[in-house]
Amino acid sequence: MAIVVDPKAGLTTGAPAPDGPEQGPPPVPAGQPTMMPPAGWQPGPDGQWQAAPDGWQPGPDGQWQPAPAFVPAEPDRFTRFMTKLWNRAPRWAAPVAALGCVAAALGTVLVMDPTRSSPDAMPSCLLKMTTGLDCPGCGGTRAVWYLMHGDLGAAARHHLVFVFVVPFLVYLYVAWAAQHMFGRRLPQLRVTPKTIGVVLAVWFTFSALRNLPWAPFDWFYV
């Protein structure tokens, strides 16, 4: 016989509590009133404390009723505008916009010709200017310029890791654009967290080795 709290009377009773995992709350000494339910328990329809079922809460009549579902916040005006614009945009809009951004970046590199600019020309690498060391991105813009001119060897010398990654980036875009615009699903490249970790590890290892003043590492110093 376990002592169970009676929430209506505010006193303990001698009603039996269920055994096992659904056992009632800890017993309260007889004769000591309590008006607060034990933690994690609610008054049930029979007037006894019981655990609230998942997704339910006690109603005004003492019966269990579904708890209100989570209601997301109302989106602001800008979010509603962008959502409406995205829903109404043609299927080709996103791939064309992404291609336009890449084309604008390539056009900028082509016009500025980083291979003819001075080392301290803006924009420049702060790490290179202050320490003389190549940062992980040093040489990437020049590698892009050489790739656009078909000089693969010079591009690899300026940033070998970038040149290695470019074909995969191009294929990812082509596969995404083909599926988005034409509904054609090409074999997908699985970019897992492990893959990203390996690429980053190789990238930063290359960045450290290219700063060593010994052959063949000094060939990659730019």
Side-chain angles (χ1 to χ4, degrees), residues 92-114:
W92 52 263
V96 169
L99 187 61
C101 293
V102 174
L106 295 179
T108 302
V109 173
L110 192 63
V111 170
M112 62 182 283
D113 189 359

Side-chain angles (χ1 to χ4, degrees), residues 78-90 93:
F78 178 75
T79 303
R80 293 197 302 269
F81 170 76
M82 294 303 297
T83 303
K84 184 181 299 184
L85 185 64
W86 173 262
N87 292 333
R88 293 184 178 181

Side-chain angles (χ1 to χ4, degrees), residues 37-87:
W41 294 69
Q42 298 288 345
D46 57 355
Q48 306 298 322
W49 296 123
Q50 62 183 32
D54 292 339
W56 292 74
Q57 67 179 15
D61 57 354
Q63 303 295 324
W64 296 117
Q65 63 182 19
F70 171 75
V71 180
E74 185 71 19
D76 56 78
R77 183 177 301 177
F78 178 75
T79 303
R80 293 197 302 269
F81 170 76
M82 294 303 297
T83 303
K84 184 181 299 184
L85 185 64
W86 173 262
N87 292 333

